[in-house]
Short mmCIF file of all heavy atoms in Angstrom, two decimals:
data_model
loop_
_atom_site.label_atom_id
_atom_site.label_comp_id
_atom_site.label_asym_id
_atom_site.label_seq_id
_atom_site.Cartn_x
_atom_site.Cartn_y
_atom_site.Cartn_z
N VAL B 182 25.55 69.84 24.02
CA VAL B 182 26.69 69.05 24.77
C VAL B 182 26.09 67.77 25.15
O VAL B 182 26.78 66.79 25.06
CB VAL B 182 27.19 69.82 25.87
CG1 VAL B 182 28.32 69.07 26.71
CG2 VAL B 182 27.95 71.19 25.36
N LEU B 183 24.84 67.80 25.54
CA LEU B 183 24.24 66.48 25.87
C LEU B 183 24.17 65.47 24.82
O LEU B 183 24.42 64.29 24.87
CB LEU B 183 22.85 66.71 26.49
CG LEU B 183 22.01 65.43 26.96
CD1 LEU B 183 22.75 64.81 28.25
CD2 LEU B 183 20.60 65.72 27.30
N VAL B 184 23.82 66.14 23.47
CA VAL B 184 23.81 65.28 22.32
C VAL B 184 25.18 64.74 22.01
O VAL B 184 25.37 63.66 21.65
CB VAL B 184 23.29 66.14 21.01
CG1 VAL B 184 23.52 65.48 19.81
CG2 VAL B 184 21.81 66.57 21.24
N LEU B 185 26.29 65.62 22.20
CA LEU B 185 27.59 65.13 22.14
C LEU B 185 27.86 63.87 23.03
O LEU B 185 28.58 62.96 22.62
CB LEU B 185 28.60 66.28 22.42
CG LEU B 185 30.06 66.00 22.11
CD1 LEU B 185 30.41 66.03 20.70
CD2 LEU B 185 30.93 67.04 22.89
N PHE B 186 27.45 63.98 24.26
CA PHE B 186 27.58 62.87 25.16
C PHE B 186 26.93 61.60 24.56
O PHE B 186 27.54 60.51 24.73
CB PHE B 186 27.05 63.26 26.60
CG PHE B 186 27.07 62.24 27.61
CD1 PHE B 186 28.42 61.71 27.97
CD2 PHE B 186 26.04 61.76 28.17
CE1 PHE B 186 28.52 60.79 29.00
CE2 PHE B 186 26.12 60.73 29.26
CZ PHE B 186 27.36 60.27 29.60
N PHE B 187 25.77 61.70 24.11
CA PHE B 187 24.94 60.63 23.55
C PHE B 187 25.79 60.08 22.23
O PHE B 187 25.84 58.89 22.09
CB PHE B 187 23.54 60.94 23.15
CG PHE B 187 22.67 61.11 24.35
CD1 PHE B 187 21.73 62.09 24.41
CD2 PHE B 187 22.94 60.34 25.50
CE1 PHE B 187 21.00 62.29 25.59
CE2 PHE B 187 22.10 60.51 26.67
CZ PHE B 187 21.11 61.45 26.66
N LEU B 188 26.35 60.98 21.47
CA LEU B 188 27.14 60.52 20.32
C LEU B 188 28.33 59.73 20.74
O LEU B 188 28.66 58.67 20.11
CB LEU B 188 27.67 61.74 19.56
CG LEU B 188 26.55 62.45 18.61
CD1 LEU B 188 27.13 63.90 18.05
CD2 LEU B 188 26.21 61.59 17.48
N TYR B 189 29.08 60.14 21.80
CA TYR B 189 30.18 59.45 22.39
C TYR B 189 29.78 58.03 22.81
O TYR B 189 30.32 56.99 22.49
CB TYR B 189 30.81 60.08 23.55
CG TYR B 189 31.81 61.09 23.33
CD1 TYR B 189 31.77 62.44 23.65
CD2 TYR B 189 33.03 60.66 22.73
CE1 TYR B 189 32.80 63.32 23.47
CE2 TYR B 189 34.10 61.64 22.52
CZ TYR B 189 33.91 62.89 22.77
OH TYR B 189 34.99 63.74 22.66
N LEU B 190 28.57 58.07 23.54
CA LEU B 190 28.06 56.78 24.04
C LEU B 190 27.66 55.80 22.90
O LEU B 190 27.94 54.63 22.93
CB LEU B 190 26.84 56.95 25.00
CG LEU B 190 27.06 57.60 26.29
CD1 LEU B 190 25.73 57.62 27.12
CD2 LEU B 190 28.12 56.99 27.14
N GLY B 191 27.09 56.37 21.81
CA GLY B 191 26.69 55.62 20.70
C GLY B 191 27.91 55.06 20.03
O GLY B 191 28.02 53.83 19.56
N HIS B 192 29.00 55.83 19.99
CA HIS B 192 30.34 55.43 19.32
C HIS B 192 30.84 54.24 20.05
O HIS B 192 31.22 53.15 19.56
CB HIS B 192 31.26 56.64 19.28
CG HIS B 192 32.48 56.25 18.52
ND1 HIS B 192 33.66 55.69 19.08
CD2 HIS B 192 32.84 56.48 17.18
CE1 HIS B 192 34.47 55.56 18.24
NE2 HIS B 192 34.08 55.97 17.01
N VAL B 193 30.94 54.42 21.43
CA VAL B 193 31.44 53.27 22.30
C VAL B 193 30.60 52.00 22.08
O VAL B 193 31.15 50.93 21.99
CB VAL B 193 31.42 53.81 23.74
CG1 VAL B 193 31.80 52.54 24.64
CG2 VAL B 193 32.43 54.88 24.04
N ALA B 194 29.24 52.24 21.99
CA ALA B 194 28.41 50.94 21.89
C ALA B 194 28.57 50.34 20.48
O ALA B 194 28.67 49.10 20.32
CB ALA B 194 27.07 51.37 22.13
N LEU B 195 28.65 51.25 19.46
CA LEU B 195 28.65 50.70 17.97
C LEU B 195 29.87 49.95 17.70
O LEU B 195 29.88 49.00 16.97
CB LEU B 195 28.47 51.91 17.14
CG LEU B 195 27.93 51.71 15.69
CD1 LEU B 195 26.68 50.85 15.74
CD2 LEU B 195 27.73 52.99 15.03
N ILE B 196 31.02 50.51 18.28
CA ILE B 196 32.29 49.78 17.94
C ILE B 196 32.37 48.40 18.47
O ILE B 196 33.09 47.55 17.94
CB ILE B 196 33.39 50.75 18.47
CG1 ILE B 196 34.67 50.74 17.58
CG2 ILE B 196 33.93 50.41 19.86
CD1 ILE B 196 35.61 51.88 17.54
N ARG B 197 31.52 48.10 19.55
CA ARG B 197 31.54 46.84 20.16
C ARG B 197 30.32 45.97 19.69
O ARG B 197 30.15 44.92 20.30
CB ARG B 197 31.71 46.88 21.63
CG ARG B 197 32.97 47.46 22.10
CD ARG B 197 32.89 48.05 23.53
NE ARG B 197 34.16 48.56 24.08
CZ ARG B 197 34.68 49.75 23.61
NH1 ARG B 197 34.10 50.52 22.81
NH2 ARG B 197 35.86 50.00 24.18
N ALA B 198 29.45 46.52 18.78
CA ALA B 198 28.17 45.92 18.57
C ALA B 198 28.20 44.73 17.57
O ALA B 198 27.21 44.06 17.49
CB ALA B 198 27.23 47.00 18.13
N PHE B 199 29.41 44.67 16.91
CA PHE B 199 29.39 43.63 15.70
C PHE B 199 30.39 42.51 16.13
O PHE B 199 31.35 42.79 16.86
CB PHE B 199 29.86 44.28 14.45
CG PHE B 199 28.88 45.29 13.90
CD1 PHE B 199 28.82 46.60 14.33
CD2 PHE B 199 28.01 44.96 12.90
CE1 PHE B 199 28.04 47.51 13.79
CE2 PHE B 199 27.04 45.79 12.44
CZ PHE B 199 27.06 47.10 12.87
N ASP B 200 29.98 41.27 15.62
CA ASP B 200 30.99 40.18 15.84
C ASP B 200 32.34 40.41 15.13
O ASP B 200 33.31 40.02 15.61
CB ASP B 200 30.36 38.82 15.36
CG ASP B 200 29.21 38.35 16.22
OD1 ASP B 200 29.23 38.78 17.48
OD2 ASP B 200 28.19 37.77 15.82
N ASP B 201 32.18 41.07 13.92
CA ASP B 201 33.30 41.34 13.18
C ASP B 201 33.78 42.75 13.60
O ASP B 201 33.10 43.78 13.31
CB ASP B 201 32.99 41.33 11.61
CG ASP B 201 34.09 41.75 10.75
OD1 ASP B 201 35.16 41.93 11.26
OD2 ASP B 201 33.98 41.87 9.47
N PRO B 202 35.02 42.84 14.18
CA PRO B 202 35.41 44.18 14.73
C PRO B 202 35.52 45.19 13.64
O PRO B 202 35.39 46.45 13.80
CB PRO B 202 36.74 43.93 15.38
CG PRO B 202 36.83 42.42 15.45
CD PRO B 202 35.94 41.83 14.50
N SER B 203 35.91 44.79 12.35
CA SER B 203 36.09 45.78 11.33
C SER B 203 34.84 46.45 10.82
O SER B 203 34.75 47.59 10.57
CB SER B 203 36.84 45.10 10.03
OG SER B 203 35.98 44.13 9.55
N ARG B 204 33.71 45.69 10.96
CA ARG B 204 32.39 46.28 10.68
C ARG B 204 31.98 47.25 11.77
O ARG B 204 31.51 48.32 11.46
CB ARG B 204 31.40 45.17 10.58
CG ARG B 204 31.44 44.39 9.30
CD ARG B 204 30.33 43.40 9.06
NE ARG B 204 28.96 44.07 9.03
CZ ARG B 204 27.88 43.40 9.19
NH1 ARG B 204 27.79 42.20 9.63
NH2 ARG B 204 26.71 43.98 9.15
#
Side-chain angles (χ1 to χ4, degrees):
Chain B
V182 174
L183 184 66
V184 169
L185 185 73
F186 180 58
F187 290 144
L188 282 169
Y189 270 121
L190 293 185
H192 187 275
V193 170
L195 203 53
I196 217 162
R197 291 159 179 81
F199 293 85
D200 289 334
D201 178 5
S203 63
R204 283 185 65 199

